[in-house]
Amino acid sequence: MTRLNPYRIGFRTIKTAIGMALGIIIAKLIGLDNFASSAILVVLCIKHTKVHSLQAIVSRFVSCLMILALGSIVFNFLGQNAIVLGIIVLLFIPLTVVFKVQEGVVTSCVILLHVFNAKTIDMDLFFNEIILLIVGLGIAFLMNVIMPSLDSNLKQYKQQIENQFTEIFQMFSKACKNPNPSLDISFEKLKVTIRKAKSIAFRDVKNHYVRNENSYYHYFDMREEQLELLRRMALILQNIETKDCLLSKISNLFAEVGTNVNSNDYTALRLHSLYEIRIELNELDLPTSHEAFRTRANLLQLLNELESYLLLKSQFGSLRLHNDSKITTT
């Protein structure tokens, strides 16, 4: 049985409703013909982000000017009938593709129908449609300027991801104390969370006209790369067969990394501890059994993966907000 989505009124819905009402009220007060069409212009230009909204407004304004000029000329020469209307649309749509304003085809058809239904095609009609466009698209622009800040959502995702990373490292630390463990870690769920966070960070970029990047996006991208390294570490830990004298030190190192997963200040110290363990590993006598040898090889690979994780962390630098003020990062 198909489940219905929960009923809710989103911010975009509120903006659309207010914008439509304002468009009709203002267009009617000005005394424009076809004033209700301003509501259609508002609906078509309300988008999820400011950049997309501005692109839609520009595209629709240009295409509407094109169809207004084309429709006025053709209708004056060939008459206002359905066949001529079809010919105009046939010629106009490829023209919008040439000028890359095809997003405004639907809006342009609304304007074209105004010209088609007009009793006389003159400058008054032309100015009426121009002002109608300015009212509808202008209100849509003002509505789109009002965008909720996504910083709180991004911070929540950041905290949620960091908490899950901490839990994973705690499990890794415990696994080092018990060789050949069975790790029950939901990497896929965490991957989905990171991708959702990246999507919101990308939307945040598109909500600013002058900024083309977002530190949060790069941060979540870094976390996605680290997640793959965590997945590899989990597989290595499950292949450890015997106890080793270095396991306790690696366990402590995992615990330290997990404790400081939300800080970049101690990455160099963690790398130093890792290199100390690697030096000690190189100085140890070779194992005497096949199981111990495979365990030692897995430990070396485990340290390599953890080194890659920490290097990613150190290369990222500091997470910056839109005002370029530093905040704690990973």
Side-chain angles (χ1 to χ4, degrees):
M1 183 177 178
T2 304
R3 288 187 60 185
L4 296 176
N5 291 325
Y7 179 84
R8 67 187 184 92
I9 299 176
F11 189 71
R12 185 184 177 189
T13 303
I14 295 173
K15 291 195 301 181
T16 302
I18 295 174
M20 288 180 67
L22 285 176
I24 293 176
I25 291 170
I26 293 174
K28 189 174 182 180
L29 286 175
I30 295 175
L32 298 177
D33 295 331
N34 303 304
F35 58 85
S37 296
S38 61
I40 299 176
L41 298 174
V42 172
V43 172
L44 293 174
C45 292
I46 296 289
K47 300 291 183 180
H48 287 292
T49 67
K50 294 179 182 178
V51 172
H52 289 155
S53 299
L54 184 60
Q55 291 171 346
I57 289 170
V58 172
S59 177
R60 282 168 170 75
F61 188 74
V62 172
S63 63
C64 286
L65 289 180
M66 290 168 56
I67 198 64
L68 189 56
L70 181 62
S72 298
I73 295 171
V74 176
F75 281 138
N76 269 323
F77 279 99
L78 300 180
Q80 293 164 269
N81 59 71
I83 295 177
V84 175
L85 178 68
I87 293 173
I88 293 173
V89 173
L90 185 66
L91 296 174
F92 175 69
I93 293 179
L95 195 62
T96 62
V97 176
V98 171
F99 288 96
K100 298 180 179 180
V101 291
Q102 59 268 33
E103 190 177 3
V105 168
V106 177
T107 311
S108 301
C109 288
V110 174
I111 302 299
L112 180 61
L113 290 175
H114 291 173
V115 180
F116 175 74
N117 290 320
K119 294 181 180 180
T120 57
I121 301 175
D122 52 17
M123 291 304 296
D124 288 338
L125 173 66
F126 194 87
F127 285 124
N128 181 88
E129 298 304 311
I130 293 293
I131 297 173
L132 189 65
L133 283 171
I134 293 174
V135 171
L137 300 181
I139 290 174
F141 177 78
L142 293 176
M143 290 294 103
N144 288 321
V145 168
I146 307 171
M147 288 286 181
S149 174
L150 298 175
D151 280 349
S152 60
N153 289 344
L154 292 170
K155 288 178 182 178
Q156 288 176 3
Y157 270 111
K158 178 179 179 290
Q159 187 63 49
Q160 183 180 348
I161 292 168
E162 288 172 355
N163 290 341
Q164 292 184 56
F165 268 56
T166 298
E167 291 176 5
I168 290 173
F169 276 112
Q170 289 173 349
M171 295 180 69
F172 284 178
S173 179
K174 293 178 181 178
C176 289
K177 300 175 183 178
N178 300 301
N180 197 22
S182 177
L183 294 173
D184 183 18
I185 303 175
S186 177
F187 289 108
E188 286 303 319
K189 183 178 179 181
L190 181 53
K191 186 174 183 178
V192 170
T193 301
I194 293 175
R195 287 184 174 178
K196 287 181 180 178
K198 286 178 67 176
S199 176
I200 293 177
F202 184 76
R203 276 180 56 194
D204 191 52
V205 174
K206 295 299 181 180
N207 274 337
H208 298 81
Y209 299 119
V210 295
R211 194 178 72 247
N212 57 6
E213 65 176 20
N214 186 298
S215 292
Y216 272 113
Y217 184 86
H218 297 301
Y219 166 79
F220 294 129
D221 192 48
M222 179 266 294
R223 282 304 189 193
E224 193 169 31
E225 292 184 54
Q226 287 184 323
L227 180 61
E228 183 58 33
L229 293 171
L230 292 178
R231 193 195 303 270
R232 295 181 196 170
M233 284 186 252
L235 293 174
I236 295 171
L237 284 168
Q238 290 177 328
N239 290 326
I240 293 177
E241 303 174 58
T242 62
K243 287 186 176 293
D244 191 284
C245 60
L246 294 178
L247 277 172
S248 61
K249 293 186 177 181
I250 295 177
S251 174
N252 292 335
L253 180 56
F254 276 136
E256 291 176 3
V257 174
T259 302
N260 297 287
V261 75
N262 64 340
S263 172
N264 196 51
D265 301 332
Y266 299 100
T267 303
L269 293 175
R270 302 292 80 75
L271 282 168
H272 181 72
S273 300
L274 184 148
Y275 295 145
E276 285 184 337
I277 296 175
R278 183 179 288 166
I279 292 172
E280 185 176 347
L281 185 149
N282 292 334
E283 293 176 349
L284 290 174
D285 295 332
L286 290 175
T288 56
S289 66
H290 290 291
E291 292 81 2
F293 186 83
R294 287 194 294 267
T295 295
R296 189 66 58 81
N298 282 324
L299 292 182
L300 179 60
Q301 184 61 32
L302 188 63
L303 291 174
N304 290 339
E305 301 292 357
L306 182 57
E307 180 186 20
S308 297
Y309 172 93
L310 293 172
L311 287 175
L312 271 174
K313 204 176 170 190
S314 62
Q315 291 167 2
F316 173 75
S318 294
L319 181 64
R320 291 177 177 269
L321 290 176
H322 305 151
N323 58 6
D324 290 330
S325 61
K326 288 187 177 181
I327 66 170
T328 304
T329 180
T330 71

